[in-house]
Amino acid sequence: MVPDPRGGNGTRPAGGNGASGDGRESVRRSARSGALGLAGAAVSGLFGFLLTVVVTRGFGTAGSGAFFALVGVVTVAGALCCLGADTGLIWALPRWRDRGVRILIVALVPPLLASVLLATAVAATAGMLAPRLLPDAGGDGVLLLRLVAAALPVAVAMTLLLAAVRAVRPIRHYVAVQFLLLPISRPVLVGTVALAGAGLVAAAIGWLVPVAVAALACAAMLVPALRGAGGARPNGTDWRRFWGFASARAASAAIDAASMWVGVLLTAALAGQSEAGVFGAVGRYVLAGQLAMQGLRVAVAPQLSALLGAGRRADAAAVHRQTTTWVIVLSWPVYLLLAFFAPGFLRLFGSGFTAGAGALTVLAVAMLVNVGLGNVQTLLLMSGASRIHLAAAAAGLAVTVGGGIALIPRYGALGAALAWSGGIVVENVSAALAARRVVGEPLVSAALLRTALGVGAAVCAVGVAVTVPAGRGVLPLVVAVGLLAIGAAGALAVPGVRGRLKAVVATLRPRPGAVSVNREGR
């Protein structure tokens, strides 16, 4: 049974479908923390893109395919071993901060044991796995997998500690590690390796070393935050409460992590490492377009947990609608430009990657659905409905894997993109319908729909006007971006638009005497 996030007798908070006075402060608070999350996500996306350029330019289609497959193995294995405890920490710590140390112990022990067991198995079977997972890595394949095995427990510890930082520390601490330390250090280290011609093994080490540094940084950040917070040994209630939520999230977390990387691994196995390299490069653009959603998700997930835990459903829905509007404004232009000018974007990786233009166009269209629905999966999880989220994620993965097996052998990267697109749409639409039912409040407003229509119409008009006479290359892309910039500047000259922008900026300024939602929610 899904826990009732309202608590008590389940009465609705004041305000009906709208937000209460405290809810308006919640929206303002989400704006302030969301702005910092967005800034961090922008930096992370820039350096993540730089890393992709370094890998694709330094190792070519086959070498980059092996590198992306390796990253996929680490990502999926790490998500499996976390057992959903990372999301569990974000859900539990804002609600039971007074038992923080006990919750952290409960969350760390099973995943670390699982990671050690899986690492041992991977190291022992590396000789059998390497030809299948990394077919073009040659003799380095076995060593690469053993590196993954050695790093896996550290990666799991870093993921869980980082989730705890996200839940109990100000957003700037999480941003410093997740959006600055990791993404900036990786292209520097991997780029140095590529320039020195040291090969894939050294590049893998350069990608993995920052994980250990990040784990140490997170541990240091948590010490002052959790000092004196329930230092007693965890009891049976702590274990039942935490893992009652996290156990269902264990499978869906692995599915979430696998959503892209299973396509890379299937493409490598069914169509070759070069096609996997193309698909991995396409995936980088797709993930970069999610920067706004990722930044806002980081900022509002603990807040949503506190609001829903306090029974303030209308306020949580108001925060969701506001953040969804921001996501559409910031992300839809990116994905529409990716769809219109896919060949121009991919040429930045090298001429061998332009074959993925069709795949990028298909995925960009699918991602319009994803970002257009907002962070519905986070809303669903923070309401406590982890089992419903699991069902939606499993449906999406089934479509991705089934479609991939059917389409990749014939269509390569395009087949992987078609399969993943189907999975994206199925998962997100299912999660949105479930979140609306669980939260019991409208997740879409007329203002949101008007925003989506206006943004989509403006970018599509520019895209058609440029691509019809000039094509989809780099120069037409530059022209389109310039026209959109001019259009945005012109819109700011309209008094009504300027007034709305000032209202949004006002939400970013702290209000004297404002009460934190974490205090109100407990």
Side-chain angles (χ1 to χ4, degrees):
M1 179 179 293
V2 178
D4 185 350
R6 294 174 296 188
N9 60 7
T11 57
R12 292 170 70 92
N17 288 342
S20 65
D22 288 340
R24 287 188 289 273
E25 174 55 32
S26 298
V27 173
R28 283 188 285 267
R29 183 171 177 266
S30 73
R32 295 192 292 271
S33 56
L36 184 56
L38 285 172
V43 174
S44 175
L46 174 62
F47 281 91
F49 177 76
L50 178 60
L51 174 63
T52 304
V53 172
V54 166
V55 172
T56 54
R57 292 283 185 176
F59 300 103
T61 55
S64 60
F67 184 89
F68 292 138
L70 176 71
V71 173
V73 171
V74 175
T75 304
V76 176
L80 283 169
C81 292
C82 281
L83 304 176
D86 48 342
T87 304
L89 284 166
I90 298 169
W91 172 76
L93 286 175
R95 299 172 181 232
W96 306 311
R97 180 74 171 271
D98 58 331
R99 297 192 292 276
V101 173
R102 291 154 57 178
I103 291 172
L104 189 59
I105 293 171
V106 168
L108 281 171
V109 172
L112 288 177
L113 289 175
S115 67
V116 170
L117 291 174
L118 183 57
T120 302
V122 170
T125 59
M128 293 186 298
L129 293 174
R132 293 170 174 81
L133 295 178
L134 305 170
D136 293 341
D140 290 339
V142 173
L143 181 55
L144 287 169
L145 285 180
R146 287 177 177 162
L147 278 174
V148 169
L152 185 58
V154 181
V156 169
M158 186 273 292
T159 301
L160 297 179
L161 293 174
L162 188 57
V165 167
R166 179 178 167 188
V168 303
R169 297 289 281 169
I171 187 65
R172 64 179 180 273
H173 293 82
Y174 179 88
V175 168
V177 177
Q178 179 67 17
F179 291 156
L180 299 180
L181 172 60
L182 287 171
I184 292 175
S185 58
R186 280 170 167 164
V188 171
L189 295 175
V190 175
T192 301
V193 167
L195 289 174
L200 280 175
V201 173
I205 293 173
W207 190 82
L208 291 169
V209 163
V211 173
V213 178
L216 293 174
C218 290
M221 291 175 181
L222 286 172
V223 171
L226 295 181
R227 186 181 291 118
R233 293 174 60 185
N235 55 35
T237 301
D238 296 321
W239 287 91
R240 285 192 300 273
R241 280 179 172 174
F242 183 85
W243 287 105
F245 171 87
S247 58
R249 176 59 179 155
S252 61
I255 292 171
D256 289 345
S259 61
M260 171 187 169
W261 298 110
V262 72
V264 174
L265 297 175
L266 280 174
T267 305
L270 299 176
Q273 212 75 68
S274 293
E275 286 288 325
V278 170
F279 185 67
V282 167
R284 169 49 59 187
Y285 274 122
V286 170
L287 296 178
Q290 286 189 294
L291 290 178
M293 180 177 284
Q294 183 182 8
L296 290 168
R297 178 188 301 127
V298 164
V300 303
Q303 184 185 8
L304 289 173
S305 176
L307 288 171
L308 291 167
R312 293 166 54 185
R313 293 186 174 195
D315 296 341
V319 169
H320 173 79
R321 290 192 297 269
Q322 181 66 70
T323 55
T324 302
T325 302
W326 297 333
V327 167
I328 289 173
V329 170
L330 295 171
S331 298
W332 270 27
V334 174
Y335 284 119
L336 288 168
L337 287 173
L338 286 173
F340 277 108
F341 300 100
F345 279 105
L346 290 170
R347 188 167 292 279
L348 298 176
F349 294 145
S351 59
F353 291 88
T354 55
L360 181 53
T361 300
V362 167
L363 280 167
V365 173
M367 293 304 291
L368 294 174
V369 177
N370 182 12
V371 300
L373 293 171
N375 283 311
V376 289
Q377 300 191 41
T378 300
L379 186 64
L380 194 59
L381 285 168
M382 293 304 102
S383 72
S386 54
R387 287 175 173 79
I388 298 177
H389 178 268
L390 171 59
L397 182 65
V399 173
T400 299
V401 173
I405 292 172
L407 297 173
I408 290 173
R410 181 172 180 179
Y411 299 106
L414 177 59
L418 289 167
W420 189 17
S421 296
I424 288 170
V425 172
V426 168
E427 178 177 353
N428 283 278
V429 171
S430 300
L433 294 174
R436 173 64 177 87
R437 186 172 64 254
V438 170
V439 175
E441 297 288 343
L443 304 183
V444 177
S445 65
L448 189 155
L449 293 175
R450 287 195 299 270
T451 299
L453 181 60
V455 170
V459 180
C460 286
V462 171
V464 171
V466 174
T467 55
V468 170
R472 305 171 69 194
V474 176
L475 183 58
L477 167 62
V478 173
V479 172
V481 172
L483 290 174
L484 287 173
I486 294 171
L492 291 177
V494 178
V497 174
R498 193 165 58 247
R500 290 181 184 178
L501 180 61
K502 288 180 180 179
V504 171
V505 172
T507 66
L508 303 179
R509 300 193 186 108
R511 300 179 68 207
V515 181
S516 167
V517 72
N518 282 345
R519 292 178 184 171
E520 293 171 353
R522 285 192 297 271

